[in-house]
Amino acid sequence: MDANGNLVHAATNLHIHRNTLSYQLNKIHEETGLNPRNFKDLVELYIGSLLIKLNS
């Protein structure tokens, strides 16, 4: 979210290769059915991650 959907900026900020980030986003999509490249789905994933942090 911090990179506003820009994979190159996100990968740079995470210190990983762009292809690695793309692979991980595909895995998230396969596991959850939510596509992190879609803004609506990304917001759902983000809120879910915040709720998990609050409960742990």
Side-chain angles (χ1 to χ4, degrees), residues 1 9 16 26 30 36 41 44 50-51:
M1 287 191 86
H9 288 130
I16 61 174
N26 287 337
E30 289 173 10
D41 290 349
E44 285 186 48
L50 292 176
L51 290 173

Side-chain angles (χ1 to χ4, degrees), residues 9-29:
H9 288 130
T12 301
N13 291 341
L14 293 168
H15 305 288
I16 61 174
H17 193 275
R18 183 186 59 81
N19 291 343
T20 302
L21 178 58
S22 182
Y23 174 78
Q24 294 299 325
L25 292 174
N26 287 337
K27 282 182 65 172
I28 290 169
H29 182 56

